[in-house]
Amino acid sequence: MVNRLKTLYELQQIDDQLDELEELRGDLPNAVQALEDKMNSIKNQVTEKDSKRKESLEKREENEEEIEKLKANQKKFKAQLYQVRNNKEYDALTKEIDHTEEQVTKLETENDALADQSKTLADDIEILKPQLDELNDELKIKQADLKEIIKANEKEESKLRTQRKEIEAQTKKPDYSAYMRIRKAKKGKAVVTIKRSACSGCHNIVPSQRQLEIRRNSRLFFCEYCGRILVSPEIAELTED
Ligand SMILES: [Zn+2]
């Protein structure tokens, strides 16, 4: 049982050191992530606007071709006007000419709107691109800062990670789950000792009868106030040896 408690205490010691290294990074990892997210969102906007602009251009070209065809037809109809033999034929042709004219006007109006849309999209892209450059500069600086901090503690961190793996392997599965659960809930400290008769996690006094029980190191005790695992000062001393 002593070993089981000692293992948990050791795990906490290592995680404390890893937490300290993590703290050195400060807000940088979050800042890098936020910048990357922002850049991706802008990149997506640019891609979307660019493809819309291409679609609009293709549609305009299609319409242009259609207008050419309609105008050619119209020319043909107008020429045929001179060869009509009766009013019925004349009316039919005039109707065709008018209809073609309407179609041409409709397509030309559509193309004007598409050209306006293209212009707006191009303007939007022009505004977004410098933003992307600016964010990228900022990202590079933050990434470099973070890399420097990580590099400075690389060896220590990798040593701690190896130690942690070994200790984790020695920890009983339910103990480890409890440890991780409390650690998450308490944002760090899951295993604490008794200092001056109090839980060193929440500073509430541990009743003396309970203190005696804890000193026997015969089972896992949880602080009745904060829920952390309470170990005796002897366990802590054993670990520090
Ligand atoms: Zn407590």
Side-chain angles (χ1 to χ4, degrees):
M1 192 64 211
V2 171
N3 272 335
R4 200 173 142 193
L5 296 167
K6 198 175 145 231
T7 308
L8 279 170
Y9 191 76
E10 277 171 356
L11 193 60
Q12 181 68 67
Q13 298 299 105
I14 287 174
D15 278 341
D16 284 349
Q17 291 175 71
L18 282 167
D19 287 348
E20 266 174 45
L21 291 182
E22 186 90 40
E23 252 170 55
L24 288 178
R25 295 174 193 175
D27 199 37
L28 278 173
N30 283 336
V32 165
Q33 185 63 50
L35 281 170
E36 282 172 348
D37 290 349
K38 210 169 171 186
M39 281 179 72
N40 279 334
S41 142
I42 294 180
K43 275 181 200 162
N44 287 342
Q45 284 179 53
V46 169
T47 312
E48 203 181 301
K49 284 178 190 292
D50 205 42
S51 80
K52 258 192 202 159
R53 204 176 55 98
K54 275 180 194 140
E55 269 170 38
S56 155
L57 197 69
E58 277 164 20
K59 182 69 185 146
R60 258 157 75 203
E61 279 167 4
E62 242 173 64
N63 286 350
E64 287 297 342
E65 279 172 30
E66 187 61 25
I67 291 170
E68 287 299 310
K69 264 188 227 161
L70 287 166
K71 281 187 173 165
N73 282 345
Q74 207 178 33
K75 218 173 169 184
K76 217 164 60 191
F77 294 144
K78 278 182 180 164
Q80 283 169 5
L81 273 182
Y82 298 105
Q83 293 152 19
V84 290
R85 284 163 299 183
N86 52 46
N87 276 345
K88 206 178 159 198
E89 270 183 27
Y90 184 87
D91 287 346
L93 267 176
T94 318
K95 222 175 177 180
E96 285 290 352
I97 290 167
D98 288 347
H99 180 62
T100 314
E101 188 62 45
E102 272 167 28
Q103 278 179 294
V104 168
T105 310
K106 190 178 146 256
L107 287 170
E108 279 173 348
T109 311
E110 195 186 338
N111 268 7
D112 285 346
L114 285 168
D116 286 346
Q117 191 200 34
S118 272
K119 173 85 176 68
T120 310
L121 287 166
D123 288 349
D124 288 352
I125 292 170
E126 281 312 300
I127 291 168
L128 287 172
K129 276 190 173 160
Q131 285 180 18
L132 213 50
D133 292 340
E134 229 170 83
L135 287 170
N136 196 36
D137 289 345
E138 209 182 315
L139 178 66
K140 282 210 175 113
I141 292 168
K142 292 238 187 311
Q143 274 175 334
D145 288 349
L146 184 58
K147 211 175 156 187
E148 208 173 297
I149 294 172
I150 291 173
K151 210 174 154 60
N153 304 301
E154 217 173 18
K155 272 189 196 156
E156 199 187 342
E157 187 175 343
S158 119
K159 200 182 93 193
L160 286 167
R161 296 237 175 256
T162 312
Q163 283 178 4
R164 197 190 188 282
K165 257 188 208 149
E166 285 164 12
I167 292 176
E168 189 190 328
Q170 291 167 28
T171 316
K172 281 183 179 292
K173 279 235 164 73
D175 287 0
Y176 188 75
S177 314
Y179 171 83
M180 290 305 284
R181 195 186 61 239
I182 302 167
R183 188 168 140 75
K184 201 178 160 197
K186 296 293 166 192
K187 295 186 171 59
K189 284 269 186 200
V191 182
V192 289
T193 54
I194 300 170
K195 270 182 195 153
R196 284 185 289 270
S197 299
C199 160
S200 66
C202 66
H203 308 294
N204 278 300
I205 295 291
V206 180
S208 36
Q209 181 56 36
R210 179 47 67 89
Q211 282 187 52
L212 281 174
E213 285 168 352
I214 291 170
R215 272 178 204 279
R216 281 191 209 118
N217 302 322
S218 57
R219 68 173 187 88
L220 233 59
F221 279 99
F222 298 91
C223 170
E224 56 187 290
Y225 299 101
C226 66
R228 291 183 175 95
I229 298 165
L230 266 176
V231 298
S232 65
E234 291 74 26
I235 292 292
E237 277 162 31
L238 271 175
T239 311
E240 273 139 31
D241 284 345

